[in-house]
Each structure stands twice: as structure tokens, then as C-alpha cells.
Amino acid sequence: MSPVLALGLVSAAQPAGAVSTPSSISNVVAVPGAKPGEVRFSWSTSGSHTDYFLLETGLTAFSKSSDSSLPTSGRNAKTFVISAGARSYTLTAAQAASAGAPLGSANYLYYRLFAVNKEGSKTVTKAYPNLQAVMPQALGTDQSRSGTDLRVATFNVRTVKATKDKRNWLLRVDDVAKEILTSRAGVVLLQEISPGRADGKGGSTAKVGRQTTTLLAQLAKQGGKSYDYRMNRTTLLVKTGEKRGTQGGRVLYDNKRYKMLSSCPEKTGKTTYNASCSFALPIASGDSESKRRRGSYALLQNRKTGQKFWAFSAHLDERHSSSKTTGAKYDKLRGDQARYLVSLINRLNTKKYPVVFGADINTWQSDKSGYSGHNVLVAGGFYDTAAAKVKVNADYNTSNGFATTLGRSSHGYGPHLDVVMVQRGKGGADRWVNMLQNPDADRPSDHNLVWADVRI
């Protein structure tokens, strides 16, 4: 007998005198519950030959069919027993958290409902055939408390070193600037914005500018007097000639709305490099310094309200593998990098100011290797704004690979490698937007700009 049948999770042909198969289940629907963190399930059935229902959840897709390539249970599988007379069931915030979708994680639950008939030692189960997904009710910003509203974005703008792209940086920088201005975000956490030459070549930046400075120039050109975007750092974080990896994490802010309080010198003496306002993420054992990723931060202040807050930008390790062992190694590294970030932020933030964090975390919930980087951030007190009250284009991937047309997720939640998170905010987030045109033959980057409205 197959393990699945032994568990009584699918029905088999029954001999004479066997337990009757429960009646079919139909119209299974799940929606966010009435309270933050809750989920409400409902269904229809005659209830014949049914002793109880089982609701199984997981953070990754699963199937009880022996014909499926999916595992029989999802990651962090959880089962809830529901009485036979019920036709609806509310998963509490605590139960959803135990299933792996705590409030503010933006994790969604794959789920399947079963009707169970049990007599003595014999059990027969009838499953609703469709695997579905739902995200618990969101937590909006707490407008009852005094605070400062902030629109913050994250944007991986694609490295200038990708010179073989059909549209290199100099052909895209105006579109990148337009995307930022269209978002009207006051703070944009950037990734892959290189301090190197804007044409991707080596040598002096004197004539062609840097990727960082050419973006600022385009923002000034298109934004006119309405905006005054500046960057916490535009120059190298590591001395020229030293072995290094990407150093493209930067904080972009509108100087008309926000003042930078951090001291972030651009030079060391007359040399255009400085390690100020930056950090170096951990690398895996055996990695060279060429795998070392660097990001940056700044302490900002709202010019109208005086509210101070920290802004951090990071880019976690990009490597994945079909090998279970190697994949787990890279997932652990992203977890270690996130753990370092949480520790660094807590160490710098001695005044306990709010923190906004933007990153390409290079992983997603259904990643077979795991979701360690994201899990560590959530456990560290960061609210993922993809759990906002209102979500726009949540069913699309935030990474587009320059594809002209993007497809929707079949279960309603696209992978969001690009995160906007807030720590010590006033509540959660009111709105989360994955900015994209569809179709679009001239995408600004291979990632979409993502922004959220929060209160700090």
C-alpha cells in the first residue's frame, strides 16, 4: 500500500463492507479574516459519511496524488481538525502564525480541505481537488497614533556591468529615473547601482560619469524643481585595486522632503573611495572576496515633522542550485546575511528609531531550498509590506528578466524577491505596489520598482 493511502489521505477502491466514502466537497473558498492575521474558509457539502474535516496547510505546494511530482506535504505542514457540522472555519492569527504565516510576514498559505469518515481503525478521506492559496488579513498603518507617513521603494536597477544587454545602462537610465519619479517615493533603496563608469568599461569616470551620478543627473533633468534627489554615497566603497564584489546598495532620498543626518564622506583624502555608511555582508566558507556584497545606510529626518529614521539597502547572495545540499548551503548563507543585517541595524539604532529596509533578497517563499533570509528578517521585527491592506500586481513576479510580457501566478501571489520592510513602524502598511507595464518591450530594469506606504 502506498504511504499516502496508508495515511488515509486519498480514497481507494473499497471492498464490500468497507467504510463509505464521504460526500464531495465543493465551493471551497478562503479569504482574509475579519481581524489582522486571520483567514476565513468556507465550503459546501451534504456532509454524508463525514465524521470531521481536515484542513492542511503548507508554505510550498503539495499534492496527495501519486501521479504528482509535488511532495505530499508542503514546508511547515500543519493540519487543523474541523467538526463535521461546520461549513466555515476561521484560522486565528495564532494558528496562522503556527502554520508559518505570522502577521506582517506576507507569507501565504497553500491549503487543501478533506472530508474524513472513520469507523474503528478504518479511515476514508475525500479531498477537494484543487490546491489553493490565501494570505491572512493584513495590518494597515495605525492612524490613531501620531506619526509620519512615508512612501518608500526598493529598486534593483541592473548593474552597469551587464554590457551585453540589448539596452545597456546609458539607454535605460532615463527610464529608470522616470520610474522613480512616477512612484513619487521619498526614499528609494537601490541595488546594483554601481559607482563604476556609466558605460560599464574600466578606467576614469571623468568624462562619462558613474552609474550613480548619471542617475542623479537624469532625476534632476526630469524632476525639475519639484524634486531634489540625492544619494548617500556615489563613489567606491572599496579602494581601487582591492578584490571586491558588488557594492551597489545605495540610499536615494528626496532632499526637499528628507535631510540626511549621517556623515557619509565620498573620499579618503583625494581618493574617490570611502567605506562610510556601508557594510559588508558575510560570504560562504571557501568564497573569495569577489563574492562579498556591500550595501549602505543613512539616518534621515523628515523636514516637516522632524521624525528621524534609518534607511538600509542590501542585496543578498544570488546563488541557487538544483542540488539539495548546495541549495541549502546558499539558503543558509542568505539567512546568515540577514542575521548580520538585523544585528547591525540593532547595534546602530541605539535611539530605537524606525527603520525602512529595501533589498533584493534573491529568494521567494516557494523556493525549494528555503526562505531563510526572509524568515530571519521577519523574526527580527521587520514587517514585510507585501502584507499591505491594498496590494497592486501582487500576482506578478517582482523580477521580470526583461521579458516583454509577464504572466500571472496561478495561485495569486507572485514571487517577490524585492522587499520593502519596516521595523518599529506605526502598524503595518496601507498600500504595496509592484510597478509594471504589461506588455513592455523597454523595461527600465530586469526588476520592477516596488513601493509601499507606511507610517513611522
Side-chain angles (χ1 to χ4, degrees):
M1 179 182 294
S2 76
V4 175
L5 291 178
L7 289 170
L9 294 173
V10 295
S11 298
Q14 300 295 310
V19 179
S20 299
T21 300
S23 57
S24 298
I25 307 170
S26 61
N27 305 318
V28 177
V29 176
V31 296
K35 299 177 181 178
E38 292 184 346
V39 181
R40 185 177 186 277
F41 299 86
S42 61
W43 60 92
S44 300
T45 180
S46 69
S48 299
H49 309 298
T50 300
D51 287 324
Y52 56 91
F53 297 98
L54 284 179
L55 173 67
E56 183 174 352
T57 65
L59 294 178
T60 53
F62 60 95
S63 173
K64 303 305 181 184
S65 172
S66 58
D67 296 329
S68 175
S69 61
L70 293 171
T72 55
S73 295
R75 187 168 66 240
N76 201 70
K78 196 80 174 178
T79 302
F80 302 91
V81 180
I82 306 170
S83 65
R87 298 297 179 267
S88 67
Y89 181 75
T90 297
L91 205 64
T92 67
Q95 288 174 319
S98 73
L103 184 64
S105 67
N107 288 351
Y108 50 89
L109 296 174
Y110 288 95
Y111 67 91
R112 193 185 294 274
L113 188 67
F114 306 87
V116 183
N117 189 20
K118 184 173 182 179
E119 292 183 13
S121 61
K122 296 181 179 179
T123 301
V124 178
T125 301
K126 182 74 173 182
Y128 182 70
N130 298 331
L131 182 69
Q132 303 175 85
V134 63
M135 189 181 292
Q137 181 61 268
L139 176 68
T141 59
D142 188 351
Q143 294 293 324
S144 67
R145 300 171 62 190
S146 60
T148 298
D149 293 326
L150 167 65
R151 178 166 294 179
V152 58
T154 190
F155 199 7
N156 180 330
V157 299
R158 179 69 166 170
T159 175
V160 73
K161 296 294 185 182
T163 55
K164 293 184 180 180
D165 287 349
K166 290 183 178 179
R167 300 179 69 234
N168 61 32
W169 173 253
L170 292 176
L171 294 176
R172 295 187 293 109
V173 61
D174 54 338
D175 293 329
V176 170
K178 181 180 178 181
E179 199 82 343
I180 292 170
L181 292 167
T182 299
S183 76
R184 295 184 291 111
V187 177
V188 184
L189 293 318
L190 300 171
Q191 298 87 44
E192 294 194 22
I193 185 77
S194 170
R197 278 176 56 135
D199 58 5
K201 298 179 181 179
S204 173
T205 62
K207 293 184 179 180
V208 295
R210 304 176 186 273
Q211 187 177 17
T212 50
T213 57
T214 51
L215 175 57
L216 290 175
Q218 269 295 325
L219 286 166
K221 179 180 178 181
Q222 295 184 37
K225 296 181 180 180
S226 299
Y227 302 92
D228 179 21
Y229 278 104
R230 301 186 184 185
M231 208 173 290
N232 67 330
R233 290 291 314 281
T234 65
T235 59
L236 295 164
L237 306 177
V238 183
K239 188 176 182 180
T240 300
E242 290 186 8
K243 200 167 188 178
R244 59 187 183 271
T246 179
Q247 45 187 319
R250 306 294 162 117
V251 177
L252 182 74
Y253 64 98
D254 181 11
N255 188 55
K256 286 184 176 290
R257 288 177 275 178
Y258 304 99
K259 177 183 179 182
M260 187 170 77
L261 302 181
S262 297
S263 174
C264 302
E266 297 268 50
K267 296 182 179 182
T268 300
K270 295 183 178 180
T271 308
T272 53
Y273 92 93
N274 199 296
S276 65
C277 301
S278 72
F279 54 85
L281 293 176
I283 53 178
S285 175
D287 281 347
S288 71
E289 283 298 316
S290 63
K291 289 295 183 182
R292 180 85 65 185
R293 291 172 173 267
R294 284 175 166 78
S296 67
Y297 59 84
L299 179 63
L300 302 174
Q301 182 176 37
N302 184 293
R303 290 187 180 275
K304 285 186 177 181
T305 68
Q307 175 67 60
K308 298 176 183 178
F309 62 97
W310 289 94
F312 282 76
S313 176
H315 194 172
L316 305 190
D317 194 89
E318 85 288 2
R319 290 171 290 179
H320 289 78
S321 174
S322 57
S323 162
K324 186 175 181 180
T325 301
T326 306
K329 172 185 174 182
Y330 295 143
D331 179 68
K332 178 182 180 300
L333 174 58
R334 285 184 286 272
D336 291 342
Q337 291 174 334
R339 197 168 290 106
Y340 168 84
L341 281 164
V342 171
S343 176
L344 172 67
I345 290 167
N346 292 339
R347 189 164 67 250
L348 290 175
N349 190 16
T350 57
K351 300 291 186 181
K352 310 299 183 185
Y353 295 133
V355 180
V356 292
F357 174 74
D360 176 353
I361 61 173
N362 268 315
T363 187
W364 53 96
Q365 183 181 314
S366 58
D367 187 342
K368 292 180 180 179
S369 295
Y371 204 29
S372 295
H374 185 268
N375 293 344
V376 168
L377 291 164
V378 172
F382 280 91
Y383 180 99
D384 187 339
T385 61
K389 276 284 189 181
V390 176
K391 294 177 277 289
V392 178
N393 294 326
D395 50 351
Y396 287 98
N397 196 334
T398 64
S399 176
N400 62 63
F402 288 115
T404 298
T405 304
L406 304 179
R408 285 186 169 95
S409 166
S410 60
H411 56 74
Y413 304 100
H416 64 291
L417 285 73
D418 304 274
V419 300
V420 175
M421 307 182 89
V422 59
Q423 185 191 57
R424 302 181 184 279
K426 303 288 196 303
D430 289 330
R431 192 174 183 86
W432 178 93
V433 177
N434 177 13
M435 281 184 64
L436 62 97
Q437 298 292 326
N438 209 26
D440 185 355
D442 297 317
R443 298 197 184 278
S445 173
D446 62 340
H447 286 249
N448 304 329
L449 182 147
V450 175
W451 61 260
D453 287 332
V454 301
R455 190 173 180 83
I456 58 174

